[in-house]
Structure formats: structure tokens, C-alpha cells
Amino acid sequence: MRVVIQRVLEASVTISKEKVAEIRKGLLILIGIEDSDTSEDINWLVGKISNLRIFPDENDVMNLSIKDINGEIILVSQFTLHASTKKGNRPSYIKAAKPDFAIPMYEKFVSHLEIELGKKIQTGQFGADMKVALVNDGPVTIIIDTKNKD
């Protein structure tokens, strides 16, 4: 499981000219799921995201988490995070999980994150052509891959 976490002042997701998600201060998270991902990966990543100290405190030091600031989250599925570009110029997505596995894992991730944070997580729509807009704050962008957690 791989995520790109972006600290944002605002973000939104639009599908077919309809805005389906919109937040102010918080995180825009892009998530890619592989066939080898497990519930353990979900639990570890939810804990990491919830407690990641990337928001400034009163001294402008990145010392606060999304929990500390009561921030919002938009979670967007993105299979292209598992693109392999080793051969040629056309990326291969062979490592990205197929929808029959990825959708339940994505939904479980959303549910676990909502439980951890005690609030609704806004999302895009799995497999849809989405237009994602954001104002990156900092900019602060963090990449986490559960295959590198040890």
C-alpha cells in the first residue's frame, strides 16, 4: 500500500463537473493498493497517518498531527502510484490490485481512518475519472509505502 500525503489549505474532487468532496485545512491522500496488501498494512498506515506530525505548532515547528488540528481528509484511490517505468516509456500497472480486491481494501481503509479520527473521511470515487484540485500548504508532501515500514 502506497500513499502520497499532501498537507493542504483546501482540496476538492470533481467527477463529471460535480464536486463530490471538498475540504479546508487538512490532508489530501492519494492511495494505491497492491494484491499483496493486508489488513496489517491498513492498520499500520492508518496509525501512521493519524499521528504524523506535519502541521505547525505555535512556534511554526511541524509538531502537530491531523488529530491535533482537527483537520479534514480527502482520500483518493490512484492505481497509478504502482506504475513501473523500468522498461520502455509506457508505464506498467501490473502491481496495482484489480478492483475486486482493491475496492474492499479501499473501503476498509476509509472505515478504519474514520474510526481512528472519529470523523467522516471524504473520498473520490474508485475508478472514476476525477479532477483533483488542491492548494498544497508548505508545500508538504510525504510518500509512505507499507513495504518499507520495517
Side-chain angles (χ1 to χ4, degrees), residues 70-90:
N70 196 27
E72 299 177 284
I73 293 179
I74 294 181
L75 184 70
V76 176
S77 63
Q78 189 172 355
F79 75 93
T80 60
L81 290 179
H82 288 292
S84 173
T85 57
K86 286 184 179 180
K87 296 193 308 190
N89 293 317
R90 183 179 182 156

Side-chain angles (χ1 to χ4, degrees), residues 19-110:
K19 198 171 283 187
V20 298
E22 184 174 25
I23 64 169
R24 293 291 169 219
K25 188 174 184 177
L27 301 173
L28 170 66
I29 302 173
L30 308 173
I31 183 169
I33 298 168
E34 295 184 58
D35 286 327
S36 61
D37 290 330
T38 66
S39 292
E40 182 181 313
D41 292 314
I42 291 172
N43 293 336
W44 181 83
L45 196 50
V46 164
K48 182 62 82 173
I49 290 168
S50 299
N51 295 296
L52 198 60
R53 299 184 325 177
I54 59 173
F55 291 92
D57 62 15
E58 65 279 353
N59 297 314
D60 208 28
V61 175
M62 286 197 290
N63 207 23
L64 302 175
S65 70
I66 190 75
K67 286 182 186 179
D68 295 327
I69 67 154
N70 196 27
E72 299 177 284
I73 293 179
I74 294 181
L75 184 70
V76 176
S77 63
Q78 189 172 355
F79 75 93
T80 60
L81 290 179
H82 288 292
S84 173
T85 57
K86 286 184 179 180
K87 296 193 308 190
N89 293 317
R90 183 179 182 156
S92 168
Y93 303 105
I94 195 100
K95 286 186 123 188
K98 303 290 184 268
D100 62 329
F101 178 78
I103 291 171
M105 290 292 282
Y106 175 77
E107 291 171 348
K108 189 173 182 180
F109 189 91
V110 171

Side-chain angles (χ1 to χ4, degrees), residues 2-33:
R2 186 173 292 158
V3 293
V4 175
I5 301 166
Q6 298 181 61
R7 189 178 79 185
V8 298
L9 294 176
E10 60 185 61
S12 65
V13 177
T14 302
I15 301 171
S16 300
K17 298 183 181 178
E18 179 185 345
K19 198 171 283 187
V20 298
E22 184 174 25
I23 64 169
R24 293 291 169 219
K25 188 174 184 177
L27 301 173
L28 170 66
I29 302 173
L30 308 173
I31 183 169
I33 298 168

